Amino acid sequence: MLKIFPDSSSIADYVSAMLVAKIQAKPDAVLGLATGGTMEPIYAKFVAAARHTELDVSRLTSFNLDEYIGLSADHPKSYAAYMQEHLFRHLAFDAARLHLPDGLAQDLNAHCRSYSGKLQSAGGIDLQLLGVGGNGHIGFNEPGTAFDCPCHVVELAEQTRIDNSRFFAEGKIVPVSAITMGMAEIMQAREIVLVATGEAKARIVAEWYQGGITEAIPFTVLKRHPAATIIVDAAAASLLPEEATQQRLVANG
Ligand code: GLP
């Protein structure tokens, strides 16, 4: 299902309300969490809404999608640090239930197997949040990744490293590799919400809409998921064919 909102702020309202409702209905839910600029306004609104509604987050379990290899959890550009800054430190989570891949794991492949195992033992993901890379990656599953691939080590695509260099200080090298939850684990989530905002995502959103399902654009696999919602703002929808935009806007009132 495709939903088009005017801007990232209205998307943040919608997704944070959806998260609050989900957690109220199932306080011990398992969430799949994403990082990136797209998620920042969503986490900010969620933190405010959770405080306002006195939401109990202490029984939640979370699994983050990915982490850079070579960055420790306290490195300011690690995804562990991102999650602390934008979400975890603001609410009374149980730290023992918050999982991220370890970018400093000695045996990376064994760590990937253990991360997958923990996720399965937790019963899989109830709600997976996703952003999308400019090349269509989800998590760090780059174009060409097999759809049945579990958690694995990935060499980052050049475009991904260029896109993400904006988060690193000038002159600092963007890591070359990462650990990512696999396409298989993402697709096992019972519900998926992918958010794409801004003009930089317009081309990939249009390719997703118009094309078939292909490993060349990892994001297209979501067309196979029975409960995946793709939420875009007007800028990310700007290259969609007009009939698609009209239809969806009407559908969304
Ligand atoms: C990053 C992350 C993804 C994220 C995507 C989009 O590389 N690994 O999980 O969804 O790229 O990031 P942004 O929201 O900053 O555009």
Side-chain angles (χ1 to χ4, degrees):
M1 193 198 331
L2 172 67
K3 284 181 181 283
I4 303 172
F5 286 76
D7 51 31
S8 59
S9 167
S10 49
I11 291 178
D13 285 334
Y14 178 83
V15 177
S16 78
M18 171 193 256
L19 283 170
V20 169
K22 185 89 189 169
I23 297 163
Q24 281 169 337
K26 190 175 182 191
D28 60 349
V30 178
L31 301 179
L33 298 178
T35 53
T38 310
M39 293 298 141
E40 291 179 20
I42 294 173
Y43 291 145
K45 288 262 170 88
F46 173 71
V47 167
R51 285 187 177 142
H52 185 67
T53 56
E54 296 184 8
L55 188 68
D56 177 14
V57 297
S58 66
R59 292 164 60 200
L60 286 176
T61 296
S62 70
F63 286 88
N64 261 80
L65 282 166
D66 42 21
E67 181 60 283
Y68 290 114
I69 290 175
L71 300 193
S72 62
D74 58 5
H75 185 287
K77 297 303 170 190
S78 70
Y79 284 160
Y82 170 105
M83 291 309 299
Q84 285 300 332
E85 183 188 343
H86 295 287
L87 183 60
F88 296 158
R89 74 186 171 96
H90 302 287
L91 299 170
F93 289 99
D94 175 356
R97 294 174 185 261
L98 308 175
H99 305 280
L100 278 110
D102 176 4
L104 292 186
Q106 291 269 311
D107 182 337
L108 292 165
N109 291 328
H111 180 66
C112 289
R113 286 193 295 276
S114 129
Y115 197 70
S116 284
K118 273 190 208 157
L119 210 162
Q120 303 307 331
S121 308
I125 292 169
D126 290 306
L127 176 62
Q128 175 69 57
L129 287 183
L130 289 177
V132 61
N135 61 1
H137 73 228
I138 49 178
F140 268 137
N141 291 282
E142 297 285 20
T145 307
F147 285 156
D148 60 357
C149 194
C151 180
H152 64 288
V153 170
V154 61
E155 191 175 317
L156 299 177
E158 199 48 36
Q159 188 187 338
T160 301
R161 296 185 67 227
I162 293 167
D163 289 349
N164 288 3
S165 63
R166 71 191 192 281
F167 295 113
F168 289 79
E170 209 178 324
K172 295 278 181 202
I173 307 288
V174 182
V176 293
S177 55
I179 299 169
T180 185
M181 202 186 272
M183 304 291 278
E185 287 119 353
I186 292 172
M187 286 297 281
Q188 278 160 17
R190 288 177 272 286
E191 187 178 354
I192 297 179
V193 171
L194 180 143
V195 181
T197 55
E199 243 174 84
K201 303 292 166 67
R203 184 188 56 82
I204 203 71
V205 167
E207 285 179 15
W208 164 81
Y209 185 84
Q210 288 171 303
I213 299 173
T214 165
E215 288 174 355
I217 306 177
F219 163 39
T220 59
V221 76
L222 299 187
K223 290 184 174 190
R224 278 190 193 151
H225 195 282
T229 307
I230 312 301
I231 299 180
V232 302
D233 67 358
S238 59
L239 296 179
L240 285 174
E242 204 184 317
E243 106 276 343
T245 320
Q246 292 301 330
Q247 231 178 44
R248 306 295 160 174
L249 284 174
V250 171
N252 293 322

